[in-house]
């Protein structure tokens, strides 16, 4: 082609202007066409290679990329690398598939958010008089958009669980969820909804007040119930919902259908929560019908919502991928161990270490160690490599495991490598880098094959449910001694609703809340307390 296109300068100068232009156009077209074809070929080859490596067709690859329809195509992939790559490159396909009804509901919500979200005429109309103390505000025309504002409180695990709970409530009630950005949410996660933002504008009329809201606030729903200050005929301009560990019975009436009839009329809801309250939403018969259509696999609620909502920023995702590729990628099997010590006196405790060893060895998650003479290792065979990822505020637990398997061989002949990304000794809520590291560790744990987590730990709940993993739950120690048995295997991937209602609503009033509906049972790690969704009854 080079000889064909090569024309001497004299000949070219002798040609007419039109011929020169024609040759230039033809040559440019050939050049551009070849670049396009090369780019298309490279992209296709990359997709085909990935599909071949995963044993999947190209259509299956794209299906996995969008998580079975949970995610919508069209986002700028470079601005949020984790959105479309985490499921392709780092996760096994989830055994939990989103229902077509959930996918449809999410697409409808995205349209609602784009129509009513920050910066729209609807949002401006809805906030116009919100800052005024007008008892009849809710009866005035505020448009067709209604909102629920999530206020960031407590630690990162709590926030992730509660924001997913609030979003589900928004789906059920056709509200727009707006997220308090006074903390570090935008440093942790990308925007989840196309063409709009979920961040509550800083000029929101109640912004200077919401931090101080508590159950004594006059517009707190529980307080208004106590004072007989709310009914279907007397609707306030906004309501504060107190769904925290110290909620009163009156606050927990939020989950009941007749109370929802009142709450539904309020244009603005402000929520503070530090518990995963999804299981208790199933007490409302109206919600229950819709929830069963959305989630035929009941235990997978948070699993689907988290994969839809939470896409780590490029900075956080870089931490995840670098650590994974350096320490976990070449392992034959990955075990995650998440250790949270609930004690006034924090630090390393021997009885906790004993419990971890008892659980992992009894459940054959880790092998015993033996003397060199007792080792049955056949050096002619390739040794299986197991990487153990430990997450804890304290490095001593991982150090003990690391030294144990370094000093002596394992009884199975496996090579055991132990890693801990960080050990910062105390929780630093709202410290940007600390929270980013914590989020990266949650995602790293979710990428393991098997996982052991601590009772009552929202950090652990996020990790195993995000990964679709049924965890071994470490019982909470009592009296500074290791529990026996040390742990229990959960039959559900769902997180636990700590401090839920203790009873049902209306006809079920007084009934143990773990016996109101057959698939909402007490959490295995909470001694007949807490609530959790189960598919295996």
């Amino acid at each position: 082609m080079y000889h064909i296109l090569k024309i001497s300068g004299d000949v070219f100068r002798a040609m007419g202007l039109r011929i020169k232009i024609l040759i230039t156009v033809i040559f440019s077209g050939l050049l551009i066409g070849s670049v396009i074809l090369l780019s298309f070929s490279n992209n296709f080859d990359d997709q085909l290679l990935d599909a071949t490596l995963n044993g999947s067709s190209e259509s299956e690859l794209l299906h996995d990329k969008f998580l079975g329809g949970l995610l919508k195509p069209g986002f700028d992939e470079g601005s949020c690398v984790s959105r479309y790559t985490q499921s392709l490159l780092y996760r096994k396909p989830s055994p939990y598939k989103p229902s077509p009804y959930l996918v449809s509901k999410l697409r409808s919500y995205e349209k609602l958010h784009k129509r009513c979200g920050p910066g729209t005429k609807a949002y401006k109309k809805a906030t116009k008089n919100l800052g005024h103390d007008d008892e009849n505000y809710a009866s005035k025309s505020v448009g067709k958009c209604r909102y629920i504002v999530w206020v960031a409180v407590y630690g990162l695990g709590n926030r992730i669980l509660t924001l997913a709970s609030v979003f589900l409530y928004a789906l059920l009630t056709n509200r727009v969820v707006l997220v308090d950005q006074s903390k570090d949410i935008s440093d942790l996660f990308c925007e989840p909804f196309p063409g709009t933002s979920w961040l509550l504008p800083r000029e929101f009329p109640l912004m200077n007040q919401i931090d101080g809201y508590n159950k004594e606030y006059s517009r707190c729903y529980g307080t208004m119930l106590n004072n007989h200050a709310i009914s279907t005929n007397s609707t306030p301009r906004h309501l504060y919902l107190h769904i925290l560990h110290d909620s009163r019975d009156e606050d927990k009436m939020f989950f009941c259908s007749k109370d929802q009839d009142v709450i539904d009329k309020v244009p603005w809801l402000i929520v503070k929560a530090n518990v995963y309250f999804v299981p208790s939403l199933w007490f409302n018969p109206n919600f229950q019908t819709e929830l069963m259509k959305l989630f035929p696999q009941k235990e997978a609620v948070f699993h689907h919502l988290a994969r839809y909502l939470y896409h780590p920023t490029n900075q956080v995702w870089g931490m995840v991928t670098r650590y994974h590729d350096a320490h976990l990628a070449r392992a034959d099997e990955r075990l995650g161990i998440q250790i949270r010590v609930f004690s006034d006196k924090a630090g390393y405790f021997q009885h906790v270490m004993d419990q971890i060893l008892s659980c992992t060895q009894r459940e054959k998650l880790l092998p015993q160690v033996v003397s060199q003479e007792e080792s049955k290792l056949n050096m002619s065979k390739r040794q299986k490599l197991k990487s153990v990822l430990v997450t804890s505020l304290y490095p001593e637990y991982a150090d003990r495991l690391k030294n144990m398997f370094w000093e002596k061989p394992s009884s199975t002949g496996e090579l055991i490598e132990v890693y801990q990304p960080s050990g910062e000794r105390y929780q630093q809520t709202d410290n940007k880098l600390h929270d980013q590291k914590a989020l990266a560790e949650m995602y790293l744990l979710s990428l393991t094959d098997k996982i052991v987590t601590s009772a009552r730990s929202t950090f652990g709940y996020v990790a195993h449910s995000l990964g679709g993993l049924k965890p071994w739950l470490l019982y909470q120690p009592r009296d500074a001694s290791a529990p026996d048995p040390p742990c229990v295997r959960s039959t559900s991937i769902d997180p636990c609703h700590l401090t839920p209602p203790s009873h049902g609503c209306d006809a079920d009033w007084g009934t143990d809340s773990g016996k109101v509906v057959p698939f909402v049972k007490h959490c295995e790690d909470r001694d007949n307390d807490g609530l959790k969704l189960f598919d295996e009854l």
Side-chain angles (χ1 to χ4, degrees), residues 220-230 250-251 253-254 259:
C220 176
Y221 183 65
T223 300
M224 295 190 80
L225 277 183
N226 276 337
N227 296 336
H228 306 288
I230 188 169
E250 292 81 7
D251 297 306
M253 296 303 292
F254 161 78
D259 296 83

Side-chain angles (χ1 to χ4, degrees), residues 96 157-165 168 274-280 282 297-306 310 453-471 473 490-500 519-526 529-534:
Y96 301 92
N158 301 81
R159 294 178 183 183
I160 292 172
L161 292 173
T162 59
L163 180 49
S165 304
L168 178 57
N274 67 345
V275 290
Y276 173 73
F277 60 81
V278 166
S280 298
W282 295 73
Q297 294 172 298
K298 301 172 188 66
E299 65 179 298
V301 176
F302 180 79
H303 179 65
H304 291 319
L305 294 181
Y310 301 130
T453 64
S454 297
R456 291 180 52 208
S457 172
T458 55
F459 190 113
Y461 291 161
V462 170
H464 76 67
S465 189
L466 179 64
L469 302 169
K470 293 182 177 179
L473 296 164
S490 178
T491 59
S492 169
I493 67 169
D494 197 50
C496 179
H497 179 180
L498 304 169
T499 64
F519 43 81
V520 178
K521 296 289 186 183
H522 290 305
C523 308
E524 305 101 326
D525 56 329
R526 292 291 293 146
D529 190 11
L531 293 177
K532 186 172 179 177
L533 287 161
F534 292 86

Side-chain angles (χ1 to χ4, degrees), residues 249-322:
D249 278 349
E250 292 81 7
D251 297 306
K252 295 173 183 178
M253 296 303 292
F254 161 78
F255 299 106
C256 300
S257 56
K258 70 177 183 180
D259 296 83
Q260 280 297 319
D261 291 340
V262 177
I263 294 170
D264 195 57
K265 298 179 182 297
V266 181
W268 286 91
L269 301 178
I270 315 295
V271 183
K272 285 184 182 178
N274 67 345
V275 290
Y276 173 73
F277 60 81
V278 166
S280 298
L281 292 174
W282 295 73
F283 292 154
N284 186 321
N286 296 329
F287 289 168
Q288 189 181 126
T289 301
E290 184 78 351
L291 285 165
M292 293 183 83
K293 291 167 63 180
L294 289 168
F295 303 101
Q297 294 172 298
K298 301 172 188 66
E299 65 179 298
V301 176
F302 180 79
H303 179 65
H304 291 319
L305 294 181
R307 294 188 305 150
Y308 171 74
L309 285 176
Y310 301 130
H311 309 289
T313 59
N314 287 353
Q315 184 173 358
V316 176
W317 191 241
M319 294 179 184
V320 174
T321 55
R322 286 190 295 274

Side-chain angles (χ1 to χ4, degrees), residues 110-117 120-123 144-145:
E110 289 163 357
K111 293 176 183 176
L112 174 67
H113 199 106
K114 195 169 185 179
R115 187 172 71 249
C116 300
T120 62
K121 290 181 180 179
Y123 175 82
K144 296 182 179 180
C145 300

Side-chain angles (χ1 to χ4, degrees), residues 285-444:
N286 296 329
F287 289 168
Q288 189 181 126
T289 301
E290 184 78 351
L291 285 165
M292 293 183 83
K293 291 167 63 180
L294 289 168
F295 303 101
Q297 294 172 298
K298 301 172 188 66
E299 65 179 298
V301 176
F302 180 79
H303 179 65
H304 291 319
L305 294 181
R307 294 188 305 150
Y308 171 74
L309 285 176
Y310 301 130
H311 309 289
T313 59
N314 287 353
Q315 184 173 358
V316 176
W317 191 241
M319 294 179 184
V320 174
T321 55
R322 286 190 295 274
Y323 200 89
H324 181 277
D325 293 348
H327 302 298
L328 305 177
R330 62 190 181 89
D332 297 295
E333 185 178 316
R334 288 160 286 273
L335 172 67
I337 303 177
Q338 180 265 335
I339 305 165
R340 174 65 192 271
V341 178
F342 293 95
S343 173
D344 294 334
K345 184 181 178 181
Y348 174 83
F349 295 99
Q350 185 58 46
H351 68 273
V352 174
M353 188 72 238
D354 293 341
Q355 180 185 8
I356 293 165
L357 287 173
S358 177
C359 174
T360 54
Q361 293 179 341
R362 184 182 300 196
E363 300 296 326
K364 302 191 183 308
L365 300 172
L366 284 177
Q368 303 276 347
V369 292
V370 295
S371 66
Q372 194 65 49
E373 292 73 23
E374 293 175 298
S375 175
K376 300 176 182 179
L377 177 63
N378 184 344
M379 297 302 294
S380 64
K381 294 182 179 180
R382 178 184 176 273
Q383 293 172 269
K384 182 180 177 181
L385 173 62
K386 178 176 286 188
S387 288
V388 182
L389 177 73
V390 177
T391 65
S392 173
L393 289 173
Y394 313 106
E396 290 88 352
Y397 297 102
D399 289 344
R400 169 72 188 277
L401 282 173
K402 190 182 301 182
N403 290 335
M404 187 173 82
F405 287 107
W406 180 38
E407 294 167 357
K408 293 183 178 181
S410 69
S411 58
T412 59
E414 295 171 288
L415 292 176
I416 310 296
E417 293 184 347
V418 181
Y419 301 101
Q420 180 171 344
S422 69
E424 306 201 351
R425 297 203 172 273
Y426 64 94
Q427 189 168 327
Q428 304 167 47
T429 302
D430 296 333
N431 177 301
K432 173 184 170 181
L433 184 57
H434 177 85
D435 282 350
Q436 287 180 324
K437 289 179 179 178
L439 180 60
E441 290 186 4
M442 288 181 195
Y443 270 79
L444 284 166

Side-chain angles (χ1 to χ4, degrees), residues 154 215 242-249 251-252 274 499:
Y154 291 87
K215 58 187 176 183
H242 189 83
I243 312 179
L244 296 168
H245 60 281
D246 62 349
S247 295
R248 305 158 294 187
D249 278 349
D251 297 306
K252 295 173 183 178
N274 67 345
T499 64

